[in-house]
Amino acid sequence: CKPMRVFLLIVFAGLMHATRSFAPQADAGGAGAAGTAVAFGYLLLSALFAGSIFKSFGLPRLTGYLVTGIVAGPQVLGLVSMPALENLEIFNGMAIALIALTAGAELGVREMKPLLRSIFWLIVVAVLGVMGILSLTIYLCRDLLPFFDHLTMIQAVGVAAVLGVTMTAQSPAVVIALRSEMQAEGPVSRTVLGVVVLSDLVVILIFAVVSSLTRTLFGNSADALETAGRLAWEILGSVGAGVLAGLLLGGFFKYVKGGAALFVLAVAFVMAEVGQRIAFDPLIIACTAGALVRNATSFGHKLLDEIEGSSLAVYVVFFAVTGATIHIDALRMVGIPAAIFVLVRGTGFYSLTWVAGALARAPLPIRKYAGFGLMPQAGLALALALLFSRTFPDLGVTAAALVLGGVAINEMVAPVLY
């Protein structure tokens, strides 16, 4: 019953506070192995109970996971410290790899073929259209953003374009999690999945090109060949690594009878950690591997079953940690502009989905509902925000806070709408 679950959440919070109060001074911040293990257990149990409470009110469990992280994190109750969250980021990489594996394994060519026309027009019209609308809106609202004050007109155009690309990024993680939780199966869920996976690649490519061009406006040299080489290494290298991982998974399923769940977790960990260290994209690696297993072997459904049976704890902690790292302080800094851009982004996705659906002659449910699936944000938007702040350090923290504030709003509102 709900009262008992709420009571247990309070008990868990009290125990977590007591644990931190009596922790050795060296581990008081939760940075040591013991503090990290306690933080993992606390977030896992609390998020599971909170998710069930939210589910009883007709809301996604995922929202309960996020809210648990926000409340327990450093910016509210402080039950889980920032050092502990940084140590728990290892689960982020695994979760993203597992989510991308799931996305790839869901992309069966035979099932997706009737939807390719809709996916194409949604990316061209809705995703690229919102990218342009956001860039124009940011430029027109530059008087609300102090970091534009010292920029020339052409520099302001470039920065607005980079921010517009960054804010367009979607979230395969949220789409996959909600699809699994709601047991949704049909043209809307399949179309949204295809769009968010492929559009992430489009956003990465456009961000690299636009940010490199904008850097030249600030007097920084941007070698076109160097940029192209870096993109080729990241994308083609990631695809190659994904093919190898897919062959490895397919071979394991074919020749080994037991331990598949642990093997899948191990492969996800390697893809996330090793891929990141050699400048590959874990999302592309895992998605390629999953698509290969689905379309080149007969083990696609087995891969999905093994992921579903072994990934719950990883997903729960991933979304709780994501909630704990939501930058609420960024909303205080740029709350009004961030809210404006979130509204423009959401309205753009919803309205342009109707246009794209009409051009693709898509079924009515896709036109009505697919736009909501493009609204959630998470990992890629955060990564691009951090990359933006490193690429343009002279713009200060306000520029990155603008993106982080928008992500914070979208993480809480968009999953519920979808």
Side-chain angles (χ1 to χ4, degrees), residues 42 134 301 303 388 392:
Y42 168 70
L134 276 173
H301 291 291
L303 175 60
F388 176 88
F392 304 99

Side-chain angles (χ1 to χ4, degrees), residues 273-292:
E273 295 301 313
V274 176
Q276 195 175 39
R277 282 163 173 74
I278 58 177
F280 286 172
D281 189 329
L283 180 71
I284 300 176
I285 298 173
C287 191
T288 302
L292 181 69

